[in-house]
Amino acid sequence: MKKLSTKIWLLVVSFLVFTVLFMYALTNFLYERLYVQDTKQSMIEVGTKLTGMYEGGKVADDFVEAVDRYNMYSNINVFAVRNPRELSACVPFDIEYDTLIGPEERQQLLQGNTVTKQGYEKRFDRQLISVVVPLVDNERLEGILYLYFPLEKITELASKDITLIIIAALLFLAFMTFITIKGIGVIMKPLKRLQKASHDMAHGDYTTRVKVTSKDEIGQLSQTFNEMATSIQKSDEQQKEFLANVSHELRTPISYIKGYSEALANGLIPKEDCDEKLGLIAREAERMEKLTTELLQLSRAEQIEKIELMPLVLAESLREATALAEQRAQVKQMRLVVEADEELIVEADEEKLKQIVVNLIENAIRYSDAGTTVFVSACREGKTAKLQVKDYGIGIPAKDLPHVSERFYRVNKARSRSDGGSGLGLSIVDQLIKVHHGSWKIDSIVGKGTTVTLYLPLYAFEDM
């Protein structure tokens, strides 16, 4: 029972069997409640009306004849009997008096109560329902009215139209079979498409998609599959691009180091140039070290799902981060200015917050001209702390702004490679800000500078 269609078939068959059994039980219930009970009630009413002609005393011949005349025109068999023990001579089948009227039944008759019985009669080969109505005078049972009626079987009730019923049942079964097959086919078609698409994706075809033909659960599943496939395809492309970028970034310094180290080992470089080449090898090695460090930082930032946030004085954290970048600013003879509200307390991880600010300041220094100033400021804006890092550097073209947080994306690739930029700084910032439940944006004008704005949540007691 591996196929879903088999399970559906079994479900349909089980439903049909249950329906047949239920209808059979319901039919028997209605037969008993409607047909049998109605017949019994009619017989009691007939017997009660006929006893109205009884005037008491011995059962007169006129009364017996009147009952016999009624019996000729009624579909219910009724007899008036003076002595109940003589009943067997009046009915067209064998009956024992003790079976018909026992001590309990006789007591009921003497009290004027009607006795009803239902049982199988072999001669009629069917159930027989009988009603005994007493003719009582002065607490003496003078006679009885005996009414009986053979109950028709359900099959007999339907015997006249049995052929029509069989044909209708066969047509209904054929119709239901056709509808079921078509229905299962319609249900299974999109599932088979999903199965094939999943198989293709498992074998590396991330471009596969399924057609969404409905808005039901299967349609929603197909839509979700397409969204998943798009996400996986995008992730796969990013991974390939990431590996290509890493390979590209590492190829240049490795080739420099390999080439110059082999030349130095083989004595191909004049002694007066050896120090220069060794310095180049050291710079390229430093560049590789920085790249691997940033890759490690990015990997850790992407793996962080939850960090331990604690209250931090934002101004103090900004000053510490600025101090870490001070040496790099001095190399380019640049100034770092911090203006922060001393009362701002944010929920953040101290080391990660410093890493964010240092990355932004180093980016500002890297893409600013010597002798300019980088401003770091912080103020309150609603329930968040607004942190800005502003420079007066080369700026970023508007078309590049949406992509600056992508890994290895660089606006000016030649300039970035020459000064050691890897294009990972803002990717790290983006990941770290997300785990701080904050947001950020970047505004820039080419030739005038760039402003990066961060919004971090304030500590809870700030709202009290």
Side-chain angles (χ1 to χ4, degrees):
M1 199 191 304
K2 295 183 178 180
K3 291 186 177 181
L4 180 61
S5 58
T6 304
K7 296 180 180 179
I8 296 176
W9 266 112
L10 288 177
L11 179 63
V12 172
V13 170
S14 301
F15 175 76
L16 290 176
V17 170
F18 173 79
T19 302
V20 170
L21 293 176
F22 174 77
M23 292 303 298
Y24 177 79
L26 179 62
T27 302
N28 278 280
F29 173 76
L30 294 177
Y31 171 80
E32 289 290 335
R33 290 295 300 270
L34 298 181
Y35 177 63
V36 175
Q37 292 296 332
D38 182 68
T39 301
K40 184 184 297 184
Q41 188 62 35
S42 297
M43 293 171 66
I44 293 174
E45 291 176 359
V46 169
T48 303
K49 290 180 180 179
L50 289 176
T51 57
M53 297 186 297
Y54 173 63
E55 297 177 351
K58 297 291 184 179
V59 178
D61 292 339
D62 294 341
F63 176 77
V64 175
E65 291 176 359
V67 172
D68 289 340
R69 284 195 299 271
Y70 177 84
N71 188 41
M72 295 175 60
Y73 302 102
S74 173
N75 61 338
I76 298 175
N77 299 287
V78 54
F79 301 96
V81 182
R82 294 184 179 89
N83 185 358
R85 295 183 181 276
E86 300 174 357
L87 182 61
S88 58
C90 301
V91 296
F93 55 88
D94 296 332
I95 188 169
E96 296 180 1
Y97 170 76
D98 293 335
T99 303
L100 175 65
I101 303 176
E104 294 181 1
E105 286 81 5
R106 182 175 180 82
Q107 193 64 33
Q108 293 182 32
L109 292 173
L110 286 172
Q111 295 175 0
N113 298 326
T114 300
V115 175
T116 60
K117 286 194 174 184
Q118 181 180 341
Y120 176 75
E121 175 53 46
K122 184 176 180 180
R123 178 172 179 177
F124 291 97
D125 189 25
R126 68 187 61 174
Q127 291 287 323
L128 191 74
I129 186 170
S130 62
V131 175
V132 181
V133 182
L135 301 174
V136 180
D137 184 35
N138 294 325
E139 298 183 357
R140 177 183 174 81
L141 185 62
E142 297 291 345
I144 61 171
L145 283 179
Y146 181 78
L147 301 90
Y148 75 91
F149 183 78
L151 294 174
E152 292 183 283
K153 297 179 181 178
I154 296 177
T155 53
E156 293 175 347
L157 292 173
S159 61
K160 297 179 180 179
D161 301 317
I162 189 66
T163 304
L164 180 61
I165 292 174
I166 293 175
I167 294 175
L170 292 175
L171 290 176
F172 176 75
L173 181 61
F175 175 75
M176 289 302 299
T177 302
F178 175 79
I179 292 298
T180 302
I181 293 174
K182 289 295 182 181
I184 292 177
V186 171
I187 294 173
M188 294 300 297
K189 190 173 182 180
L191 292 178
K192 288 180 179 178
R193 288 200 297 261
L194 273 172
Q195 181 185 20
K196 183 180 183 303
S198 300
H199 180 271
D200 294 341
M201 183 171 291
H203 288 76
D205 183 8
Y206 301 126
T207 61
T208 185
R209 299 292 185 274
V210 293
K211 184 179 180 181
V212 181
T213 57
S214 64
K215 295 183 179 180
D216 57 10
E217 287 81 357
I218 296 179
Q220 294 173 6
L221 178 62
S222 301
Q223 182 65 36
T224 303
F225 176 86
N226 290 339
E227 293 173 359
M228 179 190 69
T230 301
S231 177
I232 293 176
Q233 183 182 9
K234 184 178 179 181
S235 177
D236 181 65
E237 292 173 352
Q238 289 177 343
Q239 183 179 11
K240 291 178 180 178
E241 183 182 359
F242 176 76
L243 293 174
N245 287 329
V246 171
S247 300
H248 179 73
E249 290 297 325
L250 291 176
R251 185 181 297 113
T252 300
I254 289 175
S255 63
Y256 276 127
I257 293 173
K258 182 175 182 296
Y260 286 120
S261 60
E262 288 178 351
L264 288 170
N266 294 326
L268 300 177
I269 297 178
K271 291 185 178 181
E272 60 272 17
D273 295 334
C274 285
D275 291 340
E276 178 186 353
K277 303 308 180 185
L278 287 172
L280 189 146
I281 291 175
R283 289 195 300 272
E284 292 301 323
E286 182 182 358
R287 180 179 162 194
M288 290 176 60
E289 181 184 16
K290 181 180 179 182
L291 177 60
T292 54
T293 300
E294 289 183 339
L295 286 171
L296 181 60
Q297 290 176 348
L298 179 62
S299 175
R300 288 175 177 173
E302 289 179 339
Q303 292 175 2
I304 294 175
E305 295 182 358
K306 186 177 181 181
I307 58 176
E308 185 176 354
L309 303 178
M310 60 182 64
L312 294 176
V313 178
L314 182 58
E316 184 178 344
S317 296
L318 293 181
R319 283 192 291 268
E320 292 177 0
T322 304
L324 294 174
E326 186 68 38
Q327 184 179 0
R328 188 178 294 272
Q330 290 177 357
V331 173
K332 295 185 68 172
Q333 299 178 349
M334 296 177 62
R335 294 175 60 234
L336 299 179
V337 178
V338 179
E339 296 179 356
D341 185 345
E342 297 292 338
E343 296 182 356
L344 289 178
I345 298 179
V346 296
E347 282 188 303
D349 179 281
E350 185 175 7
E351 293 302 322
K352 299 296 186 294
L353 179 58
K354 289 180 182 178
Q355 186 178 353
I356 292 172
V357 178
V358 169
N359 279 351
L360 293 178
I361 294 176
E362 287 184 349
N363 262 6
I365 294 172
R366 182 177 295 119
Y367 298 111
S368 296
D369 295 330
T372 58
T373 302
V374 175
F375 289 94
V376 181
S377 62
C379 63
R380 178 168 182 156
E381 186 170 294
K383 295 183 179 181
T384 63
K386 179 182 177 182
L387 190 158
Q388 286 188 323
V389 177
K390 183 176 182 180
D391 66 62
Y392 297 92
I394 61 175
I396 303 173
K399 65 182 180 64
D400 294 311
L401 287 177
H403 307 285
V404 292
S405 63
E406 295 177 6
R407 292 174 293 189
F408 292 107
Y409 188 87
R410 291 175 303 199
V411 177
N412 189 331
K413 296 179 175 57
R415 180 182 177 94
S416 298
R417 186 169 288 114
S418 66
D419 62 14
S422 63
L424 293 174
L426 291 180
S427 296
I428 297 172
V429 170
D430 182 63
Q431 294 295 330
L432 292 177
I433 290 176
K434 287 179 179 177
V435 297
H436 278 84
H437 310 295
S439 61
W440 70 296
K441 66 177 182 177
I442 183 167
D443 302 295
S444 185
I445 300 177
V446 176
K448 293 188 177 182
T450 302
T451 301
V452 179
T453 305
L454 281 66
Y455 298 94
L456 296 173
L458 291 171
Y459 190 62
F461 68 74
E462 285 286 321
D463 299 325
M464 298 176 59

PDB file of all heavy atoms in Angstrom, residues 410-433:
ATOM      1  N   ARG A 410      31.872  45.283  -4.793  1.00  0.00           N
ATOM      2  CA  ARG A 410      32.675  46.496  -4.643  1.00  0.00           C
ATOM      3  C   ARG A 410      32.333  47.450  -5.780  1.00  0.00           C
ATOM      4  O   ARG A 410      32.198  47.046  -6.938  1.00  0.00           O
ATOM      5  CB  ARG A 410      34.174  46.172  -4.656  1.00  0.00           C
ATOM      6  CG  ARG A 410      34.619  45.406  -3.429  1.00  0.00           C
ATOM      7  CD  ARG A 410      36.045  44.990  -3.497  1.00  0.00           C
ATOM      8  NE  ARG A 410      36.293  44.171  -4.688  1.00  0.00           N
ATOM      9  CZ  ARG A 410      37.345  43.381  -4.817  1.00  0.00           C
ATOM     10  NH1 ARG A 410      38.219  43.292  -3.837  1.00  0.00           N
ATOM     11  NH2 ARG A 410      37.520  42.688  -5.907  1.00  0.00           N
ATOM     12  N   VAL A 411      32.219  48.711  -5.401  1.00  0.00           N
ATOM     13  CA  VAL A 411      31.859  49.724  -6.394  1.00  0.00           C
ATOM     14  C   VAL A 411      33.016  49.953  -7.346  1.00  0.00           C
ATOM     15  O   VAL A 411      32.866  49.943  -8.564  1.00  0.00           O
ATOM     16  CB  VAL A 411      31.459  51.046  -5.691  1.00  0.00           C
ATOM     17  CG1 VAL A 411      31.154  52.119  -6.723  1.00  0.00           C
ATOM     18  CG2 VAL A 411      30.275  50.803  -4.778  1.00  0.00           C
ATOM     19  N   ASN A 412      34.192  50.170  -6.787  1.00  0.00           N
ATOM     20  CA  ASN A 412      35.383  50.386  -7.593  1.00  0.00           C
ATOM     21  C   ASN A 412      36.344  49.248  -7.319  1.00  0.00           C
ATOM     22  O   ASN A 412      37.127  49.271  -6.380  1.00  0.00           O
ATOM     23  CB  ASN A 412      36.033  51.735  -7.221  1.00  0.00           C
ATOM     24  CG  ASN A 412      37.156  52.108  -8.179  1.00  0.00           C
ATOM     25  OD1 ASN A 412      37.814  51.249  -8.747  1.00  0.00           O
ATOM     26  ND2 ASN A 412      37.356  53.407  -8.343  1.00  0.00           N
ATOM     27  N   LYS A 413      36.268  48.217  -8.136  1.00  0.00           N
ATOM     28  CA  LYS A 413      37.022  46.999  -7.861  1.00  0.00           C
ATOM     29  C   LYS A 413      38.524  47.219  -7.890  1.00  0.00           C
ATOM     30  O   LYS A 413      39.263  46.670  -7.091  1.00  0.00           O
ATOM     31  CB  LYS A 413      36.611  45.915  -8.862  1.00  0.00           C
ATOM     32  CG  LYS A 413      35.152  45.491  -8.723  1.00  0.00           C
ATOM     33  CD  LYS A 413      34.792  44.453  -9.729  1.00  0.00           C
ATOM     34  CE  LYS A 413      33.376  43.947  -9.492  1.00  0.00           C
ATOM     35  NZ  LYS A 413      32.360  44.978  -9.503  1.00  0.00           N
ATOM     36  N   ALA A 414      38.974  48.020  -8.826  1.00  0.00           N
ATOM     37  CA  ALA A 414      40.419  48.246  -8.936  1.00  0.00           C
ATOM     38  C   ALA A 414      40.933  48.955  -7.695  1.00  0.00           C
ATOM     39  O   ALA A 414      41.945  48.588  -7.100  1.00  0.00           O
ATOM     40  CB  ALA A 414      40.719  49.081 -10.181  1.00  0.00           C
ATOM     41  N   ARG A 415      40.195  49.975  -7.241  1.00  0.00           N
ATOM     42  CA  ARG A 415      40.624  50.725  -6.054  1.00  0.00           C
ATOM     43  C   ARG A 415      40.562  49.839  -4.818  1.00  0.00           C
ATOM     44  O   ARG A 415      41.458  49.855  -3.980  1.00  0.00           O
ATOM     45  CB  ARG A 415      39.720  51.946  -5.875  1.00  0.00           C
ATOM     46  CG  ARG A 415      40.099  52.794  -4.658  1.00  0.00           C
ATOM     47  CD  ARG A 415      39.139  53.944  -4.504  1.00  0.00           C
ATOM     48  NE  ARG A 415      39.472  54.704  -3.300  1.00  0.00           N
ATOM     49  CZ  ARG A 415      40.249  55.782  -3.287  1.00  0.00           C
ATOM     50  NH1 ARG A 415      40.800  56.210  -4.402  1.00  0.00           N
ATOM     51  NH2 ARG A 415      40.512  56.423  -2.153  1.00  0.00           N
ATOM     52  N   SER A 416      39.526  49.036  -4.706  1.00  0.00           N
ATOM     53  CA  SER A 416      39.368  48.194  -3.530  1.00  0.00           C
ATOM     54  C   SER A 416      40.493  47.183  -3.433  1.00  0.00           C
ATOM     55  O   SER A 416      41.021  46.924  -2.363  1.00  0.00           O
ATOM     56  CB  SER A 416      38.013  47.480  -3.570  1.00  0.00           C
ATOM     57  OG  SER A 416      36.969  48.418  -3.553  1.00  0.00           O
ATOM     58  N   ARG A 417      40.850  46.580  -4.535  1.00  0.00           N
ATOM     59  CA  ARG A 417      41.897  45.570  -4.505  1.00  0.00           C
ATOM     60  C   ARG A 417      43.244  46.185  -4.172  1.00  0.00           C
ATOM     61  O   ARG A 417      44.074  45.612  -3.495  1.00  0.00           O
ATOM     62  CB  ARG A 417      41.940  44.836  -5.847  1.00  0.00           C
ATOM     63  CG  ARG A 417      42.905  43.669  -5.863  1.00  0.00           C
ATOM     64  CD  ARG A 417      42.725  42.816  -7.094  1.00  0.00           C
ATOM     65  NE  ARG A 417      41.489  42.050  -7.006  1.00  0.00           N
ATOM     66  CZ  ARG A 417      40.450  42.230  -7.797  1.00  0.00           C
ATOM     67  NH1 ARG A 417      40.479  43.144  -8.727  1.00  0.00           N
ATOM     68  NH2 ARG A 417      39.363  41.505  -7.651  1.00  0.00           N
ATOM     69  N   SER A 418      43.483  47.394  -4.638  1.00  0.00           N
ATOM     70  CA  SER A 418      44.778  48.026  -4.400  1.00  0.00           C
ATOM     71  C   SER A 418      44.983  48.399  -2.954  1.00  0.00           C
ATOM     72  O   SER A 418      46.088  48.375  -2.448  1.00  0.00           O
ATOM     73  CB  SER A 418      44.900  49.292  -5.274  1.00  0.00           C
ATOM     74  OG  SER A 418      43.950  50.261  -4.852  1.00  0.00           O
ATOM     75  N   ASP A 419      43.884  48.729  -2.239  1.00  0.00           N
ATOM     76  CA  ASP A 419      44.070  49.114  -0.839  1.00  0.00           C
ATOM     77  C   ASP A 419      43.620  48.025   0.126  1.00  0.00           C
ATOM     78  O   ASP A 419      43.482  48.259   1.318  1.00  0.00           O
ATOM     79  CB  ASP A 419      43.332  50.432  -0.523  1.00  0.00           C
ATOM     80  CG  ASP A 419      41.841  50.322  -0.715  1.00  0.00           C
ATOM     81  OD1 ASP A 419      41.340  49.195  -0.836  1.00  0.00           O
ATOM     82  OD2 ASP A 419      41.173  51.364  -0.745  1.00  0.00           O
ATOM     83  N   GLY A 420      43.364  46.834  -0.386  1.00  0.00           N
ATOM     84  CA  GLY A 420      43.087  45.700   0.502  1.00  0.00           C
ATOM     85  C   GLY A 420      41.641  45.457   0.794  1.00  0.00           C
ATOM     86  O   GLY A 420      41.324  44.571   1.572  1.00  0.00           O
ATOM     87  N   GLY A 421      40.696  46.194   0.219  1.00  0.00           N
ATOM     88  CA  GLY A 421      39.279  45.968   0.474  1.00  0.00           C
ATOM     89  C   GLY A 421      38.813  44.662  -0.119  1.00  0.00           C
ATOM     90  O   GLY A 421      39.216  44.287  -1.214  1.00  0.00           O
ATOM     91  N   SER A 422      37.955  43.953   0.617  1.00  0.00           N
ATOM     92  CA  SER A 422      37.499  42.636   0.153  1.00  0.00           C
ATOM     93  C   SER A 422      36.033  42.637  -0.240  1.00  0.00           C
ATOM     94  O   SER A 422      35.556  41.669  -0.824  1.00  0.00           O
ATOM     95  CB  SER A 422      37.720  41.593   1.262  1.00  0.00           C
ATOM     96  OG  SER A 422      36.930  41.920   2.390  1.00  0.00           O
ATOM     97  N   GLY A 423      35.305  43.671   0.118  1.00  0.00           N
ATOM     98  CA  GLY A 423      33.877  43.694  -0.181  1.00  0.00           C
ATOM     99  C   GLY A 423      33.048  42.887   0.794  1.00  0.00           C
ATOM    100  O   GLY A 423      31.908  42.526   0.500  1.00  0.00           O
ATOM    101  N   LEU A 424      33.609  42.572   1.969  1.00  0.00           N
ATOM    102  CA  LEU A 424      32.881  41.781   2.959  1.00  0.00           C
ATOM    103  C   LEU A 424      32.420  42.597   4.163  1.00  0.00           C
ATOM    104  O   LEU A 424      31.588  42.131   4.949  1.00  0.00           O
ATOM    105  CB  LEU A 424      33.760  40.624   3.464  1.00  0.00           C
ATOM    106  CG  LEU A 424      34.088  39.534   2.444  1.00  0.00           C
ATOM    107  CD1 LEU A 424      35.075  38.540   3.048  1.00  0.00           C
ATOM    108  CD2 LEU A 424      32.835  38.820   1.974  1.00  0.00           C
ATOM    109  N   GLY A 425      32.966  43.807   4.311  1.00  0.00           N
ATOM    110  CA  GLY A 425      32.685  44.597   5.510  1.00  0.00           C
ATOM    111  C   GLY A 425      31.219  44.860   5.739  1.00  0.00           C
ATOM    112  O   GLY A 425      30.695  44.625   6.837  1.00  0.00           O
ATOM    113  N   LEU A 426      30.521  45.341   4.735  1.00  0.00           N
ATOM    114  CA  LEU A 426      29.108  45.669   4.903  1.00  0.00           C
ATOM    115  C   LEU A 426      28.236  44.410   4.989  1.00  0.00           C
ATOM    116  O   LEU A 426      27.158  44.452   5.580  1.00  0.00           O
ATOM    117  CB  LEU A 426      28.630  46.572   3.759  1.00  0.00           C
ATOM    118  CG  LEU A 426      29.223  47.990   3.766  1.00  0.00           C
ATOM    119  CD1 LEU A 426      28.679  48.807   2.598  1.00  0.00           C
ATOM    120  CD2 LEU A 426      28.916  48.699   5.080  1.00  0.00           C
ATOM    121  N   SER A 427      28.708  43.306   4.412  1.00  0.00           N
ATOM    122  CA  SER A 427      27.978  42.037   4.577  1.00  0.00           C
ATOM    123  C   SER A 427      27.993  41.605   6.034  1.00  0.00           C
ATOM    124  O   SER A 427      26.986  41.146   6.586  1.00  0.00           O
ATOM    125  CB  SER A 427      28.607  40.940   3.714  1.00  0.00           C
ATOM    126  OG  SER A 427      28.493  41.252   2.343  1.00  0.00           O
ATOM    127  N   ILE A 428      29.149  41.777   6.687  1.00  0.00           N
ATOM    128  CA  ILE A 428      29.263  41.449   8.103  1.00  0.00           C
ATOM    129  C   ILE A 428      28.375  42.368   8.931  1.00  0.00           C
ATOM    130  O   ILE A 428      27.666  41.936   9.843  1.00  0.00           O
ATOM    131  CB  ILE A 428      30.737  41.552   8.551  1.00  0.00           C
ATOM    132  CG1 ILE A 428      31.582  40.515   7.803  1.00  0.00           C
ATOM    133  CG2 ILE A 428      30.858  41.363  10.059  1.00  0.00           C
ATOM    134  CD1 ILE A 428      33.066  40.658   8.028  1.00  0.00           C
ATOM    135  N   VAL A 429      28.389  43.671   8.599  1.00  0.00           N
ATOM    136  CA  VAL A 429      27.543  44.643   9.297  1.00  0.00           C
ATOM    137  C   VAL A 429      26.075  44.263   9.174  1.00  0.00           C
ATOM    138  O   VAL A 429      25.320  44.290  10.151  1.00  0.00           O
ATOM    139  CB  VAL A 429      27.789  46.063   8.736  1.00  0.00           C
ATOM    140  CG1 VAL A 429      26.745  47.034   9.274  1.00  0.00           C
ATOM    141  CG2 VAL A 429      29.186  46.537   9.105  1.00  0.00           C
ATOM    142  N   ASP A 430      25.648  43.892   7.979  1.00  0.00           N
ATOM    143  CA  ASP A 430      24.249  43.540   7.732  1.00  0.00           C
ATOM    144  C   ASP A 430      23.823  42.354   8.594  1.00  0.00           C
ATOM    145  O   ASP A 430      22.751  42.377   9.223  1.00  0.00           O
ATOM    146  CB  ASP A 430      24.063  43.213   6.243  1.00  0.00           C
ATOM    147  CG  ASP A 430      22.629  42.881   5.902  1.00  0.00           C
ATOM    148  OD1 ASP A 430      21.766  43.754   6.053  1.00  0.00           O
ATOM    149  OD2 ASP A 430      22.371  41.727   5.488  1.00  0.00           O
ATOM    150  N   GLN A 431      24.660  41.323   8.679  1.00  0.00           N
ATOM    151  CA  GLN A 431      24.324  40.143   9.473  1.00  0.00           C
ATOM    152  C   GLN A 431      24.270  40.463  10.956  1.00  0.00           C
ATOM    153  O   GLN A 431      23.360  40.024  11.677  1.00  0.00           O
ATOM    154  CB  GLN A 431      25.353  39.031   9.216  1.00  0.00           C
ATOM    155  CG  GLN A 431      25.337  38.469   7.807  1.00  0.00           C
ATOM    156  CD  GLN A 431      24.046  37.746   7.478  1.00  0.00           C
ATOM    157  OE1 GLN A 431      23.407  37.187   8.344  1.00  0.00           O
ATOM    158  NE2 GLN A 431      23.656  37.762   6.215  1.00  0.00           N
ATOM    159  N   LEU A 432      25.221  41.256  11.438  1.00  0.00           N
ATOM    160  CA  LEU A 432      25.264  41.568  12.868  1.00  0.00           C
ATOM    161  C   LEU A 432      24.105  42.468  13.293  1.00  0.00           C
ATOM    162  O   LEU A 432      23.583  42.337  14.405  1.00  0.00           O
ATOM    163  CB  LEU A 432      26.603  42.226  13.208  1.00  0.00           C
ATOM    164  CG  LEU A 432      27.829  41.312  13.102  1.00  0.00           C
ATOM    165  CD1 LEU A 432      29.092  42.098  13.395  1.00  0.00           C
ATOM    166  CD2 LEU A 432      27.707  40.129  14.045  1.00  0.00           C
ATOM    167  N   ILE A 433      23.699  43.389  12.430  1.00  0.00           N
ATOM    168  CA  ILE A 433      22.571  44.262  12.767  1.00  0.00           C
ATOM    169  C   ILE A 433      21.278  43.454  12.860  1.00  0.00           C
ATOM    170  O   ILE A 433      20.425  43.701  13.721  1.00  0.00           O
ATOM    171  CB  ILE A 433      22.434  45.402  11.737  1.00  0.00           C
ATOM    172  CG1 ILE A 433      23.596  46.376  11.896  1.00  0.00           C
ATOM    173  CG2 ILE A 433      21.120  46.147  11.906  1.00  0.00           C
ATOM    174  CD1 ILE A 433      23.605  47.483  10.872  1.00  0.00           C
TER     175      ILE A 433
END
